[in-house]
Amino acid sequence: MSRLSHALILLTSALMTGCAVTPSTPPPPAAAGFPVQVPDCTGKVTPFDKPARKIVTSNASGLEILLWLGARDQVIGTGFPPGKGDLPPEIAAAAAKVPSLGGDATGGSMRGISREQLLGSGADTYVEAWGALAGMDDVATPEQLAQVGIRKFLLRSTACAPVMNGPQTDLSVLQADIARLGAVTGRVKEAERVLAGMNATLTEVERAVAGAKRPTVFFFDYDAGTDAPFTPCNRQVANAVYTLAGARNVFDDCADDFKKVGWEEIVERDPDWIQLGVRSRGDTAADERAFDEAAAFLSTFAATRDLRAVKAGRFLRIRSEVTTIGGVRSADTVRTIAATIHPGRIKAAG
């Protein structure tokens, strides 16, 4: 049995356990297929006894999934709204119409939607991607959310990454998040369609890279600074993306989501490929300039200019968001990486 087939069996089992719903668009009446059991990071479940009709998302990751599910009319606000060029044209226009409720990560501090604004938003559901993120200010407690009738839906693929029992080597946790969001929004058919598309891509890549040697990849988060690189470990979804693409995260022995590493350690590991971690600059030309800057730094910096990947120009020019933030496009990122590091085995999409 393949890794993907096993993941799909686990995903189906998770959905059938207290999560069977009757497909319907618009959302079904409260009695149809509810309650839906939504687990937190400890495994404790919160029953959703009726569809989510007024949703606030903590950031653009949850929002993007909901937009792919066609649930725009059920979203009333988001924090950390997507910037220009962050999202593909299929959903960018819909995202632009979602009210921003705040969120800022400038100056090294992480400030999400304020407690007051979230509690007064009129939401019945809060899709949270951060979990207990250290440093987040002004966070509404579960008790405060319950007092105003807001149910919390935790995206386990991101919020629970630091406390997972083992590495993320497939997208099953992410896909379970997508399926549950489909269930609580009454958009089961849409979720099934999205998941089928992702699985078709992943199956194609799995077959294409079967038996291939796995090169190592270092994720260089250029936007996080160059003094002490900040890179994903094996609990992070990027680890799954690399694994499914037929590669290996050069820091797959790190049992965490992210960590700062020293340049000496990177030199010692001498990765086969380096992903240039650049966030969206708003348009393709600006993104390309940022990729050029990141590559130029590595090519001139004394500690990295002699690395195998740098000398050979083996750079993955793929944006940070679609690698380290789990979502529907994660499967496309798997394919893009596989097509780059395993040329001839599979072609890039489009």
Side-chain angles (χ1 to χ4, degrees):
M1 179 182 295
S2 71
R3 179 195 304 273
L4 179 59
S5 298
H6 180 64
L8 291 178
I9 291 172
L10 293 176
L11 176 60
T12 302
S13 175
L15 294 178
M16 295 304 292
T17 306
C19 297
V21 298
T22 301
S24 178
T25 303
F34 287 83
V36 175
Q37 307 293 338
V38 177
D40 65 11
C41 296
T42 68
K44 179 183 177 182
V45 298
T46 297
F48 277 59
D49 58 357
K50 57 184 178 182
R53 300 183 185 276
K54 296 181 179 180
I55 305 170
V56 167
T57 65
S58 64
N59 66 348
S61 59
L63 173 62
E64 180 174 349
I65 294 172
L66 289 165
L67 294 176
W68 283 117
L69 296 178
R72 163 63 189 94
D73 291 343
Q74 292 160 259
V75 182
I76 64 171
T78 186
F80 292 95
K84 179 184 176 183
D86 285 359
L87 301 179
E90 298 97 311
I91 59 174
K97 297 177 182 178
V98 176
S100 172
L101 301 182
D104 182 40
T106 60
S109 63
M110 185 70 74
R111 180 175 58 81
I113 302 171
S114 72
R115 179 190 296 112
E116 181 180 4
Q117 193 157 18
L118 177 57
L119 296 176
S121 65
D124 60 37
T125 302
Y126 178 48
V127 178
E128 172 65 87
W130 302 119
L133 184 68
M136 184 71 83
D137 298 326
D138 200 18
V139 177
T141 66
E143 294 76 18
Q144 290 170 332
L145 292 173
Q147 285 174 1
V148 295
I150 299 178
R151 299 163 297 178
K152 188 173 183 178
F153 186 112
L154 201 64
L155 289 174
R156 299 184 75 245
S157 52
T158 52
C160 304
V163 295
M164 286 184 177
N165 291 328
Q168 289 202 66
T169 57
D170 58 43
L171 299 180
S172 57
V173 180
L174 166 64
Q175 290 181 301
D177 282 338
I178 294 171
R180 290 193 188 95
L181 271 181
V184 302
T185 57
R187 299 186 179 275
V188 175
K189 286 185 176 179
E190 289 86 345
E192 290 173 347
R193 173 183 54 78
V194 165
L195 291 170
M198 293 178 67
N199 290 328
T201 298
L202 295 175
T203 298
E204 182 183 4
V205 174
E206 181 182 40
R207 291 171 178 168
V209 303
K213 182 180 178 180
R214 292 180 175 271
T216 56
V217 180
F218 165 57
F219 181 92
F220 171 43
D221 193 342
Y222 179 63
D223 290 336
T226 58
D227 291 339
F230 196 55
T231 196
C233 295
N234 65 25
R235 266 50 169 180
Q236 223 281 323
V237 70
N239 193 77
V241 168
Y242 292 152
T243 302
L244 293 169
R248 183 171 68 82
N249 179 6
V250 78
F251 285 98
D252 66 354
D253 58 343
C254 165
D256 206 336
D257 56 347
F258 289 95
K259 79 167 184 176
K260 286 189 175 182
V261 296
W263 287 114
E264 297 84 358
E265 190 172 5
I266 296 164
V267 171
E268 181 180 351
R269 299 190 181 211
D270 199 9
D272 298 304
W273 287 83
I274 297 176
Q275 178 171 348
L276 305 176
V278 167
R279 297 172 183 83
S280 173
R281 297 314 201 250
D283 62 67
T284 301
D287 289 347
E288 289 303 317
R289 286 194 295 271
F291 285 132
D292 289 342
E293 290 173 8
F297 169 80
L298 292 171
S299 299
T300 56
F301 184 46
T304 57
R305 64 191 179 197
D306 291 326
L307 291 175
R308 287 181 299 169
V310 175
K311 293 176 72 173
R314 290 195 292 264
F315 298 128
L316 294 170
R317 299 166 72 97
I318 301 172
R319 292 220 322 260
S320 298
E321 300 95 327
V322 295
T323 310
T324 61
I325 298 177
V328 176
R329 290 183 290 166
S330 294
D332 296 328
T333 305
V334 168
R335 183 185 183 122
T336 300
I337 293 174
T340 305
I341 66 176
H342 296 296
R345 286 179 172 259
I346 190 169
K347 294 181 179 179

